[in-house]
Amino acid sequence: MAATRVITAAQTTSCFLLQTKNSCGGALRFNRRALVLKSKRPFSCSAIYNPQVKVKEEGQPETLDYRVFFLDGSGKKVSPWHDIPLTLGDGVFNFIVEIPKESKAKMEVATDEASTPIKQDTKKGKLRYYPYNINWNYGLLPQTWEDPSQANSEVEGAFGDNDPVDVVEIGEAQRKIGEVLRIKPLAALAMIDEGELDWKIVAISLDDPKAHLVNDVDDVEKHFPGTLTAIRDWFRDYKIPDGKPANRFGLGDKPANKDYALKIIHETNESWSKLVKRSVDAGDLSLF
């Protein structure tokens, strides 16, 4: 029997919460409007009306059929990638947990499946695992997309990896698959994986006891000493046990600051907006 648990996505008052036909493909969603932060650059937003999101597990964990679906208050499936709003205003963002800290099953949003549930990644029909536990909560920023047709001139001309932007959440608590957290970005790492740009936004959940102490990259070094280096080294080396070369990092192999992280979030949100409006080719990606 499928298990159902309820999580709360923090309510946003920054989106126009009126049900309407979506101009980005006709599916029933909620009207988008621009969100403006201190940078004066707008976000595209698609909010779900009911902040209570149910997570429904289908199948057994660590099997090929296992899926974690997101349901709205009426029980209708919604996409964690497309339907949960990115920004809550004032520099706060929603983050969706795919992989809890101290676990190694490689879970990810299935970007090519309807409703984009979370599933365990596979290779050649076999479930994928990291060679050792990941030490932080890991997941995605909704309503972002790293465009594989766009080269980043600041990071060796690398093209996007065709996925939502990844988040490494450094708080002390182990979270659950499908949990939606309110986070603030602190830094960004420009990982290059087999030639593709795969941003890692380092962030902390607002309910973490140390959240009030950290607001930028230097604060992370002060209050979480060694963490940024550990994150970089973990993602650089995790493929080596499988006989693959180490990943590389751009931007001088160093973490960028909060403002740079916000710039990346803005840019990838703009790319996502073009994607769901079908201004760019979606390929095999699901837009609902």
Side-chain angles (χ1 to χ4, degrees):
M1 180 178 295
T4 302
R5 53 191 168 89
V6 179
I7 57 176
T8 300
Q11 185 153 11
T12 172
T13 57
S14 301
C15 295
F16 190 45
L17 303 179
L18 287 182
Q19 217 169 29
T20 184
K21 289 290 182 180
N22 180 7
S23 61
C24 305
L28 186 62
R29 291 235 183 98
F30 292 86
N31 198 19
R32 290 190 174 90
R33 67 185 293 186
L35 300 177
V36 182
L37 299 185
K38 294 178 181 178
S39 67
K40 303 302 182 184
R41 297 182 62 194
F43 283 108
S44 293
C45 181
S46 173
I48 51 177
Y49 176 73
N50 191 337
Q52 288 249 312
V53 181
K54 295 179 181 179
V55 174
K56 182 180 181 182
E57 299 173 284
E58 295 187 2
Q60 294 298 315
E62 300 188 56
T63 67
L64 294 173
D65 296 330
Y66 181 67
R67 297 292 185 275
V68 178
F69 286 97
F70 289 68
L71 311 178
D72 66 13
S74 69
K76 178 184 175 182
K77 289 179 180 177
V78 295
S79 165
W81 181 20
H82 300 307
D83 292 322
I84 290 179
L86 168 63
T87 179
L88 302 169
D90 296 325
V92 178
F93 298 84
N94 277 323
F95 157 59
I96 301 164
V97 179
E98 294 169 305
I99 306 174
K101 67 185 296 185
E102 306 308 333
S103 66
K104 62 180 183 178
K106 193 174 186 303
M107 309 299 296
E108 63 180 17
V109 161
T111 58
D112 59 350
E113 296 184 12
S115 303
T116 64
I118 295 173
K119 69 171 186 178
Q120 188 166 351
D121 190 22
T122 60
K123 185 174 183 179
K124 296 181 180 179
K126 295 184 178 180
L127 297 171
R128 293 186 66 188
Y129 294 86
Y130 291 120
Y132 31 71
N133 285 352
I134 189 168
N135 305 126
W136 311 274
N137 297 300
Y138 188 57
L140 75 142
L141 286 175
Q143 299 183 342
T144 61
W145 179 56
E146 298 195 51
D147 187 345
S149 70
Q150 296 295 315
N152 191 308
S153 60
E154 297 177 358
V155 189
E156 303 180 18
F159 291 83
D161 70 350
N162 202 32
D163 282 324
V165 171
D166 297 326
V167 171
V168 183
E169 194 276 319
I170 63 174
E172 67 178 20
Q174 182 188 51
R175 306 296 185 158
K176 296 180 180 179
I177 296 174
E179 194 168 353
V180 181
L181 304 178
R182 296 184 303 143
I183 59 156
K184 55 180 175 180
L186 304 169
L189 288 161
M191 191 176 90
I192 303 171
D193 182 354
E194 298 182 7
E196 294 181 335
L197 182 55
D198 187 2
W199 287 105
K200 308 299 179 189
I201 302 297
V202 180
I204 191 166
S205 178
L206 294 190
D207 64 359
D208 188 84
K210 290 187 177 180
H212 68 287
L213 298 174
V214 287
N215 293 292
D216 212 326
V217 63
D218 292 338
D219 299 327
V220 180
E221 292 291 0
K222 180 179 179 180
H223 297 285
F224 294 83
T227 295
L228 291 171
T229 298
I231 292 171
R232 183 199 62 196
D233 292 353
W234 195 97
F235 283 99
R236 182 192 63 200
D237 297 341
Y238 78 88
K239 291 186 175 181
I240 293 177
D242 292 330
K244 295 183 178 180
N247 291 319
R248 297 184 297 110
F249 286 85
L251 303 180
D253 211 36
K254 296 179 180 179
N257 65 14
K258 177 179 181 175
D259 284 344
Y260 199 96
L262 290 173
K263 179 175 83 79
I264 296 307
I265 296 171
H266 274 284
E267 291 173 352
T268 54
N269 174 248
E270 290 169 358
S271 295
W272 169 84
S273 181
K274 293 176 183 177
L275 175 69
V276 295
K277 291 176 181 175
R278 291 177 168 81
S279 299
V280 295
D281 182 18
D284 293 331
L285 298 175
S286 174
L287 301 183
F288 60 91

PDB file of all heavy atoms in Angstrom, residues 95-99 107 136-141 164-169:
ATOM      1  N   PHE A  95      13.193  24.788  -1.213  1.00  0.00           N
ATOM      2  CA  PHE A  95      14.160  23.741  -1.549  1.00  0.00           C
ATOM      3  C   PHE A  95      13.476  22.403  -1.335  1.00  0.00           C
ATOM      4  O   PHE A  95      12.849  22.173  -0.299  1.00  0.00           O
ATOM      5  CB  PHE A  95      15.388  23.892  -0.649  1.00  0.00           C
ATOM      6  CG  PHE A  95      16.217  22.646  -0.473  1.00  0.00           C
ATOM      7  CD1 PHE A  95      16.785  21.992  -1.551  1.00  0.00           C
ATOM      8  CD2 PHE A  95      16.453  22.132   0.805  1.00  0.00           C
ATOM      9  CE1 PHE A  95      17.560  20.854  -1.368  1.00  0.00           C
ATOM     10  CE2 PHE A  95      17.235  21.002   0.997  1.00  0.00           C
ATOM     11  CZ  PHE A  95      17.784  20.360  -0.095  1.00  0.00           C
ATOM     12  N   ILE A  96      13.595  21.519  -2.306  1.00  0.00           N
ATOM     13  CA  ILE A  96      12.964  20.203  -2.229  1.00  0.00           C
ATOM     14  C   ILE A  96      14.037  19.146  -2.015  1.00  0.00           C
ATOM     15  O   ILE A  96      14.966  19.019  -2.813  1.00  0.00           O
ATOM     16  CB  ILE A  96      12.173  19.904  -3.520  1.00  0.00           C
ATOM     17  CG1 ILE A  96      11.097  20.971  -3.722  1.00  0.00           C
ATOM     18  CG2 ILE A  96      11.546  18.517  -3.457  1.00  0.00           C
ATOM     19  CD1 ILE A  96      10.517  20.999  -5.109  1.00  0.00           C
ATOM     20  N   VAL A  97      13.904  18.393  -0.942  1.00  0.00           N
ATOM     21  CA  VAL A  97      14.904  17.386  -0.591  1.00  0.00           C
ATOM     22  C   VAL A  97      14.713  16.152  -1.474  1.00  0.00           C
ATOM     23  O   VAL A  97      13.630  15.569  -1.532  1.00  0.00           O
ATOM     24  CB  VAL A  97      14.793  16.987   0.893  1.00  0.00           C
ATOM     25  CG1 VAL A  97      15.822  15.912   1.237  1.00  0.00           C
ATOM     26  CG2 VAL A  97      14.966  18.206   1.794  1.00  0.00           C
ATOM     27  N   GLU A  98      15.783  15.775  -2.152  1.00  0.00           N
ATOM     28  CA  GLU A  98      15.803  14.519  -2.902  1.00  0.00           C
ATOM     29  C   GLU A  98      16.578  13.441  -2.144  1.00  0.00           C
ATOM     30  O   GLU A  98      16.166  12.277  -2.111  1.00  0.00           O
ATOM     31  CB  GLU A  98      16.452  14.740  -4.273  1.00  0.00           C
ATOM     32  CG  GLU A  98      15.657  15.648  -5.201  1.00  0.00           C
ATOM     33  CD  GLU A  98      16.449  16.048  -6.429  1.00  0.00           C
ATOM     34  OE1 GLU A  98      17.571  16.583  -6.279  1.00  0.00           O
ATOM     35  OE2 GLU A  98      15.947  15.833  -7.546  1.00  0.00           O
ATOM     36  N   ILE A  99      17.713  13.837  -1.547  1.00  0.00           N
ATOM     37  CA  ILE A  99      18.578  12.876  -0.863  1.00  0.00           C
ATOM     38  C   ILE A  99      18.840  13.371   0.559  1.00  0.00           C
ATOM     39  O   ILE A  99      19.476  14.413   0.750  1.00  0.00           O
ATOM     40  CB  ILE A  99      19.916  12.709  -1.608  1.00  0.00           C
ATOM     41  CG1 ILE A  99      19.668  12.345  -3.080  1.00  0.00           C
ATOM     42  CG2 ILE A  99      20.785  11.653  -0.922  1.00  0.00           C
ATOM     43  CD1 ILE A  99      20.945  12.299  -3.906  1.00  0.00           C
ATOM     44  N   MET A 107      18.825   9.637  -5.396  1.00  0.00           N
ATOM     45  CA  MET A 107      17.457  10.008  -5.710  1.00  0.00           C
ATOM     46  C   MET A 107      17.446  11.322  -6.494  1.00  0.00           C
ATOM     47  O   MET A 107      18.289  12.200  -6.280  1.00  0.00           O
ATOM     48  CB  MET A 107      16.643  10.170  -4.426  1.00  0.00           C
ATOM     49  CG  MET A 107      16.725   9.006  -3.460  1.00  0.00           C
ATOM     50  SD  MET A 107      16.122   7.445  -4.149  1.00  0.00           S
ATOM     51  CE  MET A 107      14.392   7.840  -4.409  1.00  0.00           C
ATOM     52  N   TRP A 136      25.268  15.955   3.617  1.00  0.00           N
ATOM     53  CA  TRP A 136      24.369  17.107   3.706  1.00  0.00           C
ATOM     54  C   TRP A 136      23.065  16.748   3.012  1.00  0.00           C
ATOM     55  O   TRP A 136      22.994  15.807   2.224  1.00  0.00           O
ATOM     56  CB  TRP A 136      24.996  18.325   3.015  1.00  0.00           C
ATOM     57  CG  TRP A 136      26.409  18.550   3.446  1.00  0.00           C
ATOM     58  CD1 TRP A 136      26.840  19.250   4.537  1.00  0.00           C
ATOM     59  CD2 TRP A 136      27.592  18.027   2.821  1.00  0.00           C
ATOM     60  NE1 TRP A 136      28.203  19.210   4.625  1.00  0.00           N
ATOM     61  CE2 TRP A 136      28.702  18.471   3.590  1.00  0.00           C
ATOM     62  CE3 TRP A 136      27.829  17.248   1.691  1.00  0.00           C
ATOM     63  CZ2 TRP A 136      30.003  18.148   3.264  1.00  0.00           C
ATOM     64  CZ3 TRP A 136      29.136  16.917   1.361  1.00  0.00           C
ATOM     65  CH2 TRP A 136      30.207  17.369   2.135  1.00  0.00           C
ATOM     66  N   ASN A 137      21.999  17.466   3.324  1.00  0.00           N
ATOM     67  CA  ASN A 137      20.749  17.281   2.590  1.00  0.00           C
ATOM     68  C   ASN A 137      20.920  17.857   1.188  1.00  0.00           C
ATOM     69  O   ASN A 137      21.481  18.940   1.012  1.00  0.00           O
ATOM     70  CB  ASN A 137      19.606  17.984   3.318  1.00  0.00           C
ATOM     71  CG  ASN A 137      19.358  17.400   4.685  1.00  0.00           C
ATOM     72  OD1 ASN A 137      19.053  16.216   4.823  1.00  0.00           O
ATOM     73  ND2 ASN A 137      19.500  18.222   5.723  1.00  0.00           N
ATOM     74  N   TYR A 138      20.423  17.119   0.205  1.00  0.00           N
ATOM     75  CA  TYR A 138      20.705  17.458  -1.194  1.00  0.00           C
ATOM     76  C   TYR A 138      19.402  17.424  -1.985  1.00  0.00           C
ATOM     77  O   TYR A 138      18.548  16.563  -1.761  1.00  0.00           O
ATOM     78  CB  TYR A 138      21.702  16.448  -1.753  1.00  0.00           C
ATOM     79  CG  TYR A 138      22.254  16.736  -3.110  1.00  0.00           C
ATOM     80  CD1 TYR A 138      22.921  17.925  -3.392  1.00  0.00           C
ATOM     81  CD2 TYR A 138      22.142  15.795  -4.130  1.00  0.00           C
ATOM     82  CE1 TYR A 138      23.460  18.169  -4.645  1.00  0.00           C
ATOM     83  CE2 TYR A 138      22.673  16.013  -5.389  1.00  0.00           C
ATOM     84  CZ  TYR A 138      23.338  17.209  -5.643  1.00  0.00           C
ATOM     85  OH  TYR A 138      23.861  17.436  -6.886  1.00  0.00           O
ATOM     86  N   GLY A 139      19.251  18.360  -2.884  1.00  0.00           N
ATOM     87  CA  GLY A 139      18.027  18.389  -3.675  1.00  0.00           C
ATOM     88  C   GLY A 139      18.048  19.504  -4.699  1.00  0.00           C
ATOM     89  O   GLY A 139      19.108  19.871  -5.214  1.00  0.00           O
ATOM     90  N   LEU A 140      16.874  20.070  -4.979  1.00  0.00           N
ATOM     91  CA  LEU A 140      16.764  21.021  -6.079  1.00  0.00           C
ATOM     92  C   LEU A 140      16.031  22.290  -5.690  1.00  0.00           C
ATOM     93  O   LEU A 140      15.233  22.309  -4.741  1.00  0.00           O
ATOM     94  CB  LEU A 140      16.045  20.391  -7.274  1.00  0.00           C
ATOM     95  CG  LEU A 140      14.528  20.221  -7.133  1.00  0.00           C
ATOM     96  CD1 LEU A 140      13.830  20.501  -8.455  1.00  0.00           C
ATOM     97  CD2 LEU A 140      14.186  18.822  -6.651  1.00  0.00           C
ATOM     98  N   LEU A 141      16.286  23.323  -6.465  1.00  0.00           N
ATOM     99  CA  LEU A 141      15.480  24.545  -6.445  1.00  0.00           C
ATOM    100  C   LEU A 141      14.396  24.399  -7.507  1.00  0.00           C
ATOM    101  O   LEU A 141      14.713  24.227  -8.689  1.00  0.00           O
ATOM    102  CB  LEU A 141      16.333  25.767  -6.766  1.00  0.00           C
ATOM    103  CG  LEU A 141      17.295  26.258  -5.690  1.00  0.00           C
ATOM    104  CD1 LEU A 141      18.134  27.390  -6.250  1.00  0.00           C
ATOM    105  CD2 LEU A 141      16.533  26.725  -4.454  1.00  0.00           C
ATOM    106  N   PRO A 164      17.280  20.885 -13.071  1.00  0.00           N
ATOM    107  CA  PRO A 164      17.119  21.980 -12.109  1.00  0.00           C
ATOM    108  C   PRO A 164      18.425  22.201 -11.347  1.00  0.00           C
ATOM    109  O   PRO A 164      19.298  21.324 -11.306  1.00  0.00           O
ATOM    110  CB  PRO A 164      16.007  21.476 -11.174  1.00  0.00           C
ATOM    111  CG  PRO A 164      15.348  20.355 -11.896  1.00  0.00           C
ATOM    112  CD  PRO A 164      16.378  19.750 -12.781  1.00  0.00           C
ATOM    113  N   VAL A 165      18.537  23.358 -10.714  1.00  0.00           N
ATOM    114  CA  VAL A 165      19.733  23.681  -9.946  1.00  0.00           C
ATOM    115  C   VAL A 165      19.762  22.890  -8.644  1.00  0.00           C
ATOM    116  O   VAL A 165      18.747  22.768  -7.952  1.00  0.00           O
ATOM    117  CB  VAL A 165      19.796  25.198  -9.663  1.00  0.00           C
ATOM    118  CG1 VAL A 165      20.912  25.533  -8.688  1.00  0.00           C
ATOM    119  CG2 VAL A 165      19.984  25.965 -10.961  1.00  0.00           C
ATOM    120  N   ASP A 166      20.932  22.363  -8.312  1.00  0.00           N
ATOM    121  CA  ASP A 166      21.112  21.565  -7.107  1.00  0.00           C
ATOM    122  C   ASP A 166      21.385  22.447  -5.894  1.00  0.00           C
ATOM    123  O   ASP A 166      22.012  23.505  -6.004  1.00  0.00           O
ATOM    124  CB  ASP A 166      22.284  20.600  -7.270  1.00  0.00           C
ATOM    125  CG  ASP A 166      22.061  19.588  -8.371  1.00  0.00           C
ATOM    126  OD1 ASP A 166      20.899  19.187  -8.571  1.00  0.00           O
ATOM    127  OD2 ASP A 166      23.043  19.195  -9.028  1.00  0.00           O
ATOM    128  N   VAL A 167      20.942  21.965  -4.740  1.00  0.00           N
ATOM    129  CA  VAL A 167      21.177  22.637  -3.464  1.00  0.00           C
ATOM    130  C   VAL A 167      21.843  21.670  -2.502  1.00  0.00           C
ATOM    131  O   VAL A 167      21.437  20.496  -2.405  1.00  0.00           O
ATOM    132  CB  VAL A 167      19.860  23.154  -2.843  1.00  0.00           C
ATOM    133  CG1 VAL A 167      20.088  23.660  -1.417  1.00  0.00           C
ATOM    134  CG2 VAL A 167      19.261  24.256  -3.699  1.00  0.00           C
ATOM    135  N   VAL A 168      22.853  22.159  -1.787  1.00  0.00           N
ATOM    136  CA  VAL A 168      23.468  21.426  -0.686  1.00  0.00           C
ATOM    137  C   VAL A 168      23.110  22.175   0.591  1.00  0.00           C
ATOM    138  O   VAL A 168      23.579  23.288   0.820  1.00  0.00           O
ATOM    139  CB  VAL A 168      25.001  21.341  -0.851  1.00  0.00           C
ATOM    140  CG1 VAL A 168      25.606  20.508   0.271  1.00  0.00           C
ATOM    141  CG2 VAL A 168      25.375  20.774  -2.206  1.00  0.00           C
ATOM    142  N   GLU A 169      22.238  21.565   1.406  1.00  0.00           N
ATOM    143  CA  GLU A 169      21.744  22.232   2.623  1.00  0.00           C
ATOM    144  C   GLU A 169      22.560  21.747   3.806  1.00  0.00           C
ATOM    145  O   GLU A 169      22.627  20.555   4.087  1.00  0.00           O
ATOM    146  CB  GLU A 169      20.259  21.924   2.814  1.00  0.00           C
ATOM    147  CG  GLU A 169      19.554  22.815   3.823  1.00  0.00           C
ATOM    148  CD  GLU A 169      19.718  22.332   5.266  1.00  0.00           C
ATOM    149  OE1 GLU A 169      19.642  21.100   5.482  1.00  0.00           O
ATOM    150  OE2 GLU A 169      19.929  23.180   6.162  1.00  0.00           O
TER     151      GLU A 169
END
